[in-house]
Amino acid sequence: IFLLFVALALTLSLCGCNKRNAPLSSTQVMMTTVVTVTLYDGKQEDLDSTMRLIKEYEKLFDRNNKDSDVYKLNNNLATTVSGDTAILLEKALSISEKSNGAFDISILPLVELWNITKATEPPKPEDIEAALKSVDFNNISINNTEVQLKNNCKIDLGGIAKGYIAD
């Protein structure tokens, strides 16, 4: 009887160990895409702080937001960026170097020229050639949180920011 009682008590206590809360999920449009975050066995505060963090990163990295680090860099309004922006820029430059420029965040002049959301025809070859003169990741230098963009270089973090934020 004693062993049966111990086995029953052990079984009941172990059943409580596997009990999980229902998943919590939030879906919002951020970074021009639908973002869904689902936490398994998390708390609402964790989900709320995660969504706030994504919005904070979006505000730093969005080239169209006049308060973002990227907008300020591209428009010569600032050379000092947040630590988070500096880290992302360093990662982007590292990838650019490793890929011999196949990945290049200084692509904004071409992105603006092609304007894929509104363009009805491709840009003229001479316009592409002119834009290419300022596309070169070597025109970006970073020293801690000080960033310099040389030779009319402008950056777009769209190719790396979402992955960085997801990580």
Side-chain angles (χ1 to χ4, degrees):
I1 292 178
F2 177 74
L3 289 175
L4 186 59
F5 178 76
V6 170
L8 180 62
L10 185 60
T11 302
L12 290 175
S13 68
L14 290 176
C15 288
C17 292
N18 291 329
K19 187 175 181 182
R20 294 184 181 255
N21 297 328
L24 298 172
S25 188
S26 178
T27 300
Q28 298 179 28
V29 176
M30 294 186 277
M31 304 176 297
T32 65
T33 193
V34 176
V35 174
T36 300
V37 174
T38 303
L39 298 181
Y40 297 90
D41 204 29
K43 299 176 197 151
Q44 186 63 46
E45 308 85 71
D46 299 332
L47 181 61
D48 294 342
S49 71
T50 300
M51 299 308 279
R52 276 193 306 275
L53 181 61
I54 294 170
K55 286 183 181 184
E56 287 174 30
Y57 280 143
E58 179 183 30
K59 287 178 186 174
L60 289 174
F61 306 149
D62 181 358
R63 68 179 170 86
N64 295 309
N65 179 340
K66 292 182 180 185
D67 294 324
S68 79
D69 285 347
V70 174
Y71 182 92
K72 290 174 184 175
L73 284 172
N74 285 337
N75 291 282
N76 299 314
L77 301 174
T79 57
T80 302
V81 297
S82 71
D84 290 318
T85 301
I87 289 168
L88 182 55
L89 290 171
E90 289 282 359
K91 287 180 184 286
L93 290 180
S94 174
I95 294 168
S96 294
E97 289 172 9
K98 289 176 183 172
S99 69
N100 293 318
F103 177 79
D104 192 337
I105 60 170
S106 70
I107 195 78
L108 186 57
L110 285 173
V111 170
E112 291 176 332
L113 184 62
W114 279 89
N115 193 10
I116 61 171
T117 59
K118 297 179 186 174
T120 56
E121 59 186 61
K124 297 175 185 160
E126 59 269 17
D127 293 338
I128 294 171
E129 194 63 37
L132 280 169
K133 290 179 181 173
S134 60
V135 176
D136 184 348
F137 70 92
N138 292 302
N139 288 323
I140 304 166
S141 62
I142 305 170
N143 183 9
N144 293 321
T145 58
E146 289 294 316
V147 180
Q148 280 192 325
L149 303 180
K150 299 173 251 167
N151 300 323
N152 297 316
C153 175
K154 292 188 177 191
I155 60 174
D156 182 349
L157 297 177
I160 193 171
K162 290 177 189 176
Y164 176 79
I165 292 168
D167 286 349

